Amino acid sequence: MNITLIFFLGVVFALVGVVPPGLLNMTAAKISLKEGHVRGIMFSIGVCVVVFGQTYLASIFARYLSKHPEVISVLRGVALVIFILITIYFLFIAKSAPKQQIEPKMKSKHSRFFQGMLLSGINVFPIPYQAYITITLASIGWMSFEQINIISYVAGAGTGTFVTLYMYIFFFDRIKDKSFTSQKNMNLIIGGITGIISIVTLINIIQDF
């Protein structure tokens, strides 16, 4: 398996997971705006250090699951339900929800690097997300669980996360003015992505029968 392809797959799926406005990317952008790009970048590096670890754990977990297909079948069923519910939420519910802007107050005197690690550590979503993605990639032959492939994918995931956070830092002046006014479009994009993942998951489940 081409490790370059695996690396870019890690980048792409990390982008998909981090692009929607959330605590980590909005915090990185706001730190940069108030304290300068250097501090925003240090926060982002702290986030990515934890993402490396989370993605590696997810890949190891996925490798274990790949040897227990009966467990994978159950998890795929659960994942299908979850992704369908997320799709329904973003396509039909979130678009009509009242807009809320959360202003996280960052008063810690500690390094922004460790603050990034802390907030990223609290966010455990990447572990089940990346575990499912790596299992899916392995099932369609785009990835294997050899150590070099896992490391390549982890490096891609960390890089993709940093690129996304840096984009939020660089374009924050535009984001702060337009991100919430275009939230409906963002919800449609997220709903479309999770809808596609739901269809792929359903096809994999049907093929197993």
Side-chain angles (χ1 to χ4, degrees):
M1 183 62 62
N2 191 324
I3 61 174
T4 302
L5 172 61
I6 294 174
F7 174 84
F8 281 108
L9 287 173
V11 171
V12 169
F13 285 106
L15 286 171
V16 171
V18 184
V19 161
L23 177 61
L24 296 177
N25 42 35
M26 295 303 293
T27 299
K30 291 177 182 179
I31 288 176
S32 177
L33 181 69
K34 295 178 181 179
E35 304 177 17
H37 287 337
V38 173
R39 296 202 119 200
I41 290 174
M42 288 304 298
F43 174 87
S44 301
I45 293 174
V47 170
C48 293
V49 167
V50 175
V51 169
F52 281 126
Q54 289 174 328
T55 307
Y56 184 79
L57 288 176
S59 300
I60 297 301
F61 182 57
R63 182 170 62 183
Y64 168 79
L65 292 178
S66 68
K67 300 177 181 178
H68 298 80
E70 70 283 358
V71 179
I72 294 179
S73 298
V74 174
L75 290 180
R76 280 181 178 169
V78 174
L80 175 62
V81 173
I82 292 174
F83 281 119
I84 289 176
L85 291 176
I86 292 175
T87 301
I88 293 173
Y89 173 78
F90 279 106
L91 291 181
F92 303 105
I93 299 176
K95 65 179 181 180
S96 60
K99 299 173 183 177
Q100 296 181 354
Q101 297 189 26
I102 300 175
E103 295 284 343
K105 297 181 180 179
M106 299 298 175
K107 297 182 179 180
S108 173
K109 295 181 181 179
H110 296 292
S111 166
R112 291 302 187 185
F113 173 82
F114 292 107
Q115 187 178 65
M117 292 185 65
L118 175 62
L119 291 183
S120 185
I122 294 174
N123 176 33
V124 297
F125 171 75
I127 297 177
Y129 169 75
Q130 291 290 3
Y132 174 75
I133 293 298
T134 50
I135 287 176
T136 302
L137 292 176
S139 68
I140 60 179
W142 288 7
M143 177 179 175
S144 64
F145 290 110
E146 296 177 5
Q147 190 68 16
I148 184 63
N149 292 333
I150 291 177
I151 293 175
S152 180
Y153 184 85
V154 170
T159 301
T161 300
F162 181 80
V163 168
T164 308
L165 294 177
Y166 186 79
M167 288 170 57
Y168 268 82
I169 290 173
F170 188 77
F171 295 109
F172 184 67
D173 285 338
R174 296 180 182 179
I175 293 174
K176 71 176 181 181
D177 293 329
K178 300 180 181 179
S179 61
F180 293 101
T181 59
S182 61
Q183 189 64 47
K184 179 178 179 180
N185 292 333
M186 181 62 71
N187 290 337
L188 291 175
I189 293 172
I190 299 172
I193 292 172
T194 55
I196 293 172
I197 295 176
S198 299
I199 294 173
V200 172
T201 303
L202 179 59
I203 292 174
N204 287 334
I205 292 175
I206 292 175
Q207 289 178 341
D208 288 340
F209 284 103

